[in-house]
Amino acid sequence: MTLGLSLGIVVGYLVFALAIGLVAYRVSESTAEDYYLANRSIGTAVLLFTTFATLLSAFTFFGGPNLAFAAGPEWLIVMGTLDGVLFAVLWYVIGYKQWLIGDRNGYVTLGEMLGDRFGSVGLRALVAGVSLLWLFPYVMLQQMGAGEALVGLTDGAVPYWGGAALVTGFMILYVVLAGMRGVAWTDTVQGLFMLSVVWIAAVWVVSAVGGVGAATGAMLDAKPSFGSFGGGLYSPGFIISTAITIAFGVTMFPQINQRFFVARSGETLKRSFVLWPVLVLLLFLPAFMLGAWAAGMPISVPEGANVLPVVLNEYTPAWFAALVVAGAMAAMMSSSDSMLLSGSSYFTRDLYRPVINATASDRREAWVARIGVAVFALLAFVASLFRPGTLIEVGDTAFSGFALLALPVICALYWERTTRTGMVVGVLVPQVAYLAVVLSAVVAAVPTLPRTVAGGWDVALGLMALSAILTVGVSLLTAQTADSDASRFAVAGD
């Protein structure tokens, strides 16, 4: 197969996704609620798969197999079981309550919901600012993954920057046109496509190496430590810290949190989070085991490369490897377009209109949103060219930053005594501390601070506890402001 045909398959898939977005654009209404939330009309299957495809990204499609290849298959337990179940529980605890509140009061963003409850434009802007801050590295992660994917598929004929630029251009065009309805439709197709190709890839590769027993035996011969649980990277601190920070962080991702508002009904939401753990395990099992089995295969993975394209190039035809890479790029694009769409809503509704231009027309706000998407994506593209870390490192940084928002939000949802000052302090102080930790790793002027303590426990876990203590403690010491209204969150579900 020629290089041109391989690239044709990848680009053809992206154009197919764009066509779905154009159809959605033609049937959409020109209102903010339709553009950002598809008029709260999403059913079970589309909600499940749009959340699924939005969460699956370069972090899971390439970073996960890379980690299993280097450290062992326990990553499947961290992401496939612990994290899958924990996120489903949080989807009920946070998502269902948010859906009830949003359905009654018409909220579009998390910042809008909290700002209205506590009568505070400042809190609204703070939540939006924190969200956009951590969204930046996660968008960058998708561009890094796309760049590395095309380098692997084409043996370097397409440079890293070319793959990153390709996915950046498509996601800007897509988000500007499609809105939530198009994103959700495309996500459903992309989710089904990803699930199908990764299982076919696993069966194809395993058959080529002699079956599951032969693949596992070769893996254990090459890496005997992969046969026992724990050890090496997988300390209790790492496993528990990672599962908790990722699950709580996911609930505060703008592109996931906003999906808590879009369900057609409460029953839709309940069916979705019950089915969630099964769906993620169905994808992670073949993807991560391919990475672990690769440790016993006679292949050479260049430093900095992703293991999955190397395995596919060795054991499957070039056209199929191109299809799987197209599926991986679909995962990155389905995450990126949702991130940019949600990011634009946070910027326009929580920062631009309430803080910068309260009298802006809807037309002006729409243009600001589209220009903001392009600027944000282009800045992330430039940053991705510097490759500030591995896919896992960049992704984990973003997850932990978002996780620090979760406990103050739970306090606001379930504890009427929560005050505006308690929320601001509970959000702001841990975020400043964590930002100092992150900057200390990349900025020479900032004294080095540890990312882990006491044998592998993530410092973000301690900062999550600090966020809860500060929110509760400061709320007990301060009074409700006159414009706070706890009744805004007084909803009943079953």
Side-chain angles (χ1 to χ4, degrees), residues 28-95:
S28 296
E29 300 171 11
S30 57
T31 63
E33 186 155 300
D34 192 85
Y35 184 69
Y36 292 126
L37 300 181
N39 274 340
R40 307 179 200 270
S41 62
I42 302 295
T44 302
V46 175
L47 178 60
L48 188 62
F49 272 96
T50 188
T51 306
F52 178 65
T54 296
L55 266 184
L56 302 177
S57 64
F59 182 82
T60 50
F61 224 96
F62 287 141
N66 289 351
L67 199 146
F69 173 71
E74 290 97 321
W75 188 240
L76 178 62
I77 295 174
V78 176
M79 290 293 291
T81 52
L82 290 177
D83 203 64
V85 172
L86 187 53
F87 175 68
V89 172
L90 290 171
W91 197 343
Y92 174 75
V93 172
I94 298 175

Side-chain angles (χ1 to χ4, degrees), residues 163-460:
L166 178 66
V167 80
T168 301
F170 265 90
M171 66 189 189
I172 290 174
L173 183 60
Y174 191 79
V175 174
V176 166
L177 287 175
M180 174 60 84
R181 193 184 309 279
V183 167
W185 286 1
T186 310
D187 283 351
T188 303
V189 175
Q190 289 173 332
L192 288 167
F193 180 74
M194 283 183 282
L195 202 56
S196 302
V197 296
V198 78
W199 270 102
I200 295 172
V203 171
W204 205 319
V205 171
V206 168
S207 299
V209 299
V212 172
T216 305
M219 176 189 76
L220 295 176
D221 288 341
K223 299 275 189 179
S225 62
F226 282 16
S228 57
F229 181 75
L233 175 69
Y234 296 109
S235 66
F238 173 83
I239 291 175
I240 296 172
S241 298
T242 305
I244 290 177
T245 54
I246 289 179
F248 278 81
V250 163
T251 64
M252 294 295 112
F253 265 136
Q255 71 274 20
I256 297 300
N257 190 274
Q258 210 161 36
R259 277 162 173 72
F260 296 158
F261 290 129
V262 305
R264 180 185 299 156
S265 67
E267 292 305 315
T268 296
L269 211 61
K270 292 174 186 174
R271 283 193 292 268
S272 300
F273 59 65
V274 168
L275 292 171
W276 177 259
V278 177
L279 192 60
V280 295
L281 192 58
L282 279 175
L283 180 76
F284 291 164
L285 177 64
F288 295 171
M289 285 311 299
L290 273 177
W293 283 324
M297 296 176 186
I299 58 173
S300 175
V301 181
E303 186 175 352
N306 294 309
V307 65
L308 203 55
V310 175
V311 171
L312 295 171
N313 283 334
E314 182 68 26
Y315 293 102
T316 66
W319 64 266
F320 183 74
L323 263 184
V324 177
V325 171
M329 292 190 68
M332 298 168 210
M333 202 174 82
S334 61
S335 298
S336 301
D337 56 20
S338 298
M339 291 176 208
L340 292 176
L341 180 66
S342 297
S344 72
S345 69
Y346 276 47
F347 176 70
T348 56
R349 297 183 71 89
D350 296 335
L351 290 173
Y352 177 72
R353 187 178 281 279
V355 178
I356 300 172
N357 188 354
T359 60
S361 65
D362 289 345
R363 180 180 174 82
R364 185 178 183 85
E365 182 180 322
W367 275 109
V368 168
R370 287 170 167 81
I371 293 170
V373 164
V375 171
F376 194 86
L378 290 173
L379 288 175
F381 166 66
V382 172
S384 74
L385 300 180
F386 295 95
R387 301 196 202 193
T390 66
L391 299 180
I392 290 290
E393 289 168 345
V394 174
D396 186 53
T397 297
F399 279 127
S400 296
F402 281 112
L404 302 184
L405 282 174
L407 295 179
V409 169
I410 291 175
C411 287
L413 289 173
Y414 287 97
W415 189 40
E416 289 187 4
R417 184 67 181 81
T418 307
T419 66
R420 182 170 72 189
T421 309
M423 285 295 294
V424 171
V425 174
V427 170
L428 186 60
V429 173
Q431 289 290 341
V432 171
Y434 184 63
L435 188 59
V437 172
V438 173
L439 290 178
S440 75
V442 293
V443 179
V446 180
T448 301
L449 298 169
R451 290 288 297 267
T452 59
V453 295
W457 293 89
D458 195 325
V459 70

